[in-house]
């Protein structure tokens, strides 16, 4: 019996240490939760709640600063940033490039002074420092493996995509999704309105569905329901990370991208804290945190590696400025609807 005393003693010692460790960890977390926050920042954003929640929680855990998120649609954000300056409350906005350009024109922001913003490429930020891009989402061709292994790997440009052939394409309806419509606006800026309308009319025979949701084209390609889904890189990368049978092609003749960025509201009383939060958004560690949580974007931080497609190629982005007005968008959408989407063939 004595021979079991030492193993039993060791077992209970280890059990006691583990119990104490769990209790101490729990107590420490409880104390942290009860500790008063250093500051509270109010952030207006049109980002998905799933993303803003994990970012706010992570920032509080790291910095003990509470982020109160005020969720808006992109249209609501446009309205908010169009108001007179005196009506603004809060500290930060995180939104699209178009809305950031609008806010700058309405004198809504104050310059962001941080080395992190200085390292961001000029094309992804305001030249006077009123806003800075944090990440962007390029439009890509998502192909199911079967199609890629036959003809798909040779369809690598917008030009070849619209040529005669028997491949099937799904694209999001531009009227249903503002984010998807950014492809239309960018292409008009890059190639001209006439060439853009001609392209979409050439693509029309291939289109088997105009989806209502932004992620649908990528999902249908992943499930083999279409040959090519024209969609965002972030959605395609998610499916690839979960081992779906898909390939991602970056258009060799350049592509559209949806830029998300941040700005400090001019009326903030927390300039330093707001700037620090934007600096944190730009950090390499934050980008890696987002990727681990399945948010796959191309990041403006130059320390992050540039994404590559299934052919090993880097992105080529169109040289576009963005900042499209509400009126301008309506005109282009109406042109697309009348001359492409519901155009009656002779």
């Amino acid at each position: 019996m004595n021979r079991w005393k030492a193993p039993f003693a060791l077992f209970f010692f280890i059990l006691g240490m583990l119990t104490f460790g769990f209790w101490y960890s729990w107590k420490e977390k409880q104390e942290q939760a009860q500790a008063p926050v250093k500051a509270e920042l109010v952030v207006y954003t049109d980002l998905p709640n799933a993303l803003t929640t994990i970012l706010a929680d992570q920032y509080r855990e790291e910095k003990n600063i509470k982020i109160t998120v005020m969720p808006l649609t992109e249209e609501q954000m446009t309205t908010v940033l169009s108001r007179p300056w005196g009506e603004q409350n809060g500290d930060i906005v995180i939104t699209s490039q178009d809305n950031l350009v609008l806010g700058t024109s309405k004198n809504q922001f104050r310059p962001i002074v941080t080395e992190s913003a200085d390292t961001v490429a000029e094309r992804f930020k305001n030249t006077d420092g009123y806003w800075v891009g944090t990440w962007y989402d390029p439009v890509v061709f998502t192909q199911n493996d079967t199609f890629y292994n036959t003809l798909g790997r040779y369809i690598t440009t917008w030009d070849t995509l619209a040529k005669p052939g028997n491949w099937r394409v799904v694209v999001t309806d531009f009227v249903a999704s503002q984010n998807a419509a950014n492809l239309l606006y960018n292409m008009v800026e890059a190639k001209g309105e006439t060439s853009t309308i001609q392209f979409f009319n050439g693509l029309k025979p291939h289109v088997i569905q105009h989806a209502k949701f932004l992620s649908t084209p990528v999902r249908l390609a992943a499930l083999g329901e279409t040959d090519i889904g024209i969609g965002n890189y972030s959605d395609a990368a998610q499916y690839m990370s979960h081992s779906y049978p898909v390939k991602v092609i970056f258009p060799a003749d350049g592509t559209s991208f949806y830029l998300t960025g941040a700005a400090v509201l001019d009326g903030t009383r927390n300039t330093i804290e707001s700037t620090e939060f934007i600096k944190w958004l730009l950090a390499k560690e934050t980008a890696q945190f987002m990727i681990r949580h399945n948010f796959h974007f191309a990041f403006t931080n130059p320390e992050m590696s540039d994404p590559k497609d299934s052919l090993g190629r880097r992105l080529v982005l169109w040289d576009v400025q963005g900042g499209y007005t509400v009126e301008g968008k309506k005109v282009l959408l109406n042109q697309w609807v009348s001359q492409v989407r519901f155009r009656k063939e002779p």
Side-chain angles (χ1 to χ4, degrees):
M1 185 68 181
N2 289 335
R3 66 181 180 179
W4 295 105
K5 288 184 178 179
F8 273 122
L10 179 61
F11 170 77
F12 284 111
F13 174 76
I14 294 174
L15 180 63
M17 291 298 293
L18 288 173
T19 302
F20 175 78
F22 284 124
W23 173 83
Y24 185 82
S25 176
W26 174 83
K27 182 180 179 183
E28 189 176 47
K29 289 181 179 179
Q30 290 294 106
E31 290 176 351
Q32 289 177 352
Q34 294 172 3
V37 295
K38 296 178 182 178
E40 180 176 353
L41 299 176
V42 176
V43 177
Y44 291 91
T45 183
D46 48 21
L47 295 180
N49 288 336
L51 176 55
T52 56
T53 298
I54 66 164
L55 290 175
D57 290 347
Q58 183 67 12
Y59 196 67
R60 177 158 184 172
E61 182 177 329
E62 290 185 22
K63 307 293 185 180
N64 199 25
I65 292 178
K66 181 181 179 181
I67 303 296
T68 298
V69 176
M70 305 296 289
L72 303 171
T73 65
E74 186 170 0
E75 295 84 355
Q76 289 171 335
M77 180 69 79
T78 301
T79 301
V80 167
L81 293 178
S82 299
R83 293 173 183 167
W85 172 84
E87 296 182 15
Q88 299 296 1
N89 294 305
D91 303 290
I92 299 165
V93 295
I94 306 175
T95 186
S96 66
Q97 180 180 5
D98 289 347
N99 277 329
L100 291 168
V101 171
L102 172 65
T104 302
S105 71
K106 300 292 185 179
N107 301 313
Q108 300 285 10
F109 309 137
R110 61 179 57 183
I112 301 167
V113 182
T114 172
E115 291 182 6
S116 300
D118 285 346
T119 64
V120 172
E122 294 296 323
R123 71 183 304 170
F124 298 130
K125 63 185 179 184
N126 174 258
T127 55
D128 295 316
Y130 286 105
W131 59 264
V132 61
T134 50
W135 54 79
Y136 57 99
D137 208 359
V139 176
V140 300
F141 305 157
T142 305
Q143 303 181 1
N144 69 69
D145 277 0
T146 301
F147 181 69
Y148 173 84
N149 290 328
T150 53
L151 186 60
R153 67 182 64 196
Y154 305 108
I155 300 179
T156 60
T157 66
W158 293 102
D159 181 56
T160 53
L161 181 68
K163 287 186 179 297
N166 61 356
W167 52 87
R168 302 164 300 161
V169 174
V170 174
V171 62
T172 304
D173 189 335
F174 295 152
V175 176
S177 169
Q178 291 248 5
N179 193 313
N182 197 60
L183 169 61
L184 172 65
Y185 312 143
N186 278 182
M187 188 175 287
V188 168
E189 185 179 352
K191 299 177 178 294
E193 185 176 332
T194 300
S195 295
T196 299
I197 295 300
Q198 289 176 346
F199 164 78
F200 282 111
N201 275 318
L203 183 66
K204 193 173 180 179
H206 295 291
V207 176
I208 61 172
Q209 181 180 342
H210 286 90
K212 294 188 180 299
F213 299 100
L214 190 62
S215 60
T216 300
V218 175
R219 179 172 62 84
L220 292 180
L223 296 176
E225 298 296 325
T226 187
D227 300 316
I228 301 173
I230 300 175
N232 283 347
Y233 169 75
S234 60
D235 292 319
Q238 277 192 13
Y239 278 94
M240 291 185 70
S241 70
H242 288 90
S243 301
Y244 277 81
V246 292
K247 295 291 189 293
V248 174
I249 299 294
F250 295 163
D253 48 351
T255 193
S256 167
F257 61 97
Y258 189 90
L259 179 63
T260 296
V264 178
L265 284 166
D266 198 41
T268 182
R269 296 180 180 179
N270 303 292
T271 303
I272 295 176
E273 293 84 357
S274 297
T275 302
E276 284 298 310
F277 179 65
I278 292 176
K279 180 180 178 181
W280 181 81
L281 287 176
L282 291 168
K284 178 180 179 181
E285 292 77 14
T286 304
Q288 292 170 336
F289 168 80
M290 290 172 62
I291 292 171
R292 289 197 302 272
H293 285 77
N294 218 21
F295 292 97
H296 300 264
F297 298 107
F299 295 90
T300 62
N301 184 329
E303 295 182 88
M304 292 297 293
S305 300
D306 293 331
K308 294 182 180 180
D309 70 1
S310 298
L311 294 170
R313 302 171 309 150
R314 297 181 186 276
L315 277 165
V316 177
L317 301 177
W318 286 329
D319 185 17
V320 293
Q321 301 301 313
Y324 312 116
T325 64
V326 174
E327 295 75 17
K329 290 178 180 180
K330 287 181 179 178
V331 170
L332 292 179
L333 278 177
N334 288 337
Q335 291 285 80
W336 177 77
V337 168
S338 62
Q339 297 187 35
V340 180
R341 182 78 166 87
F342 298 113
R343 177 186 176 185
K344 294 183 180 179
E345 300 298 332

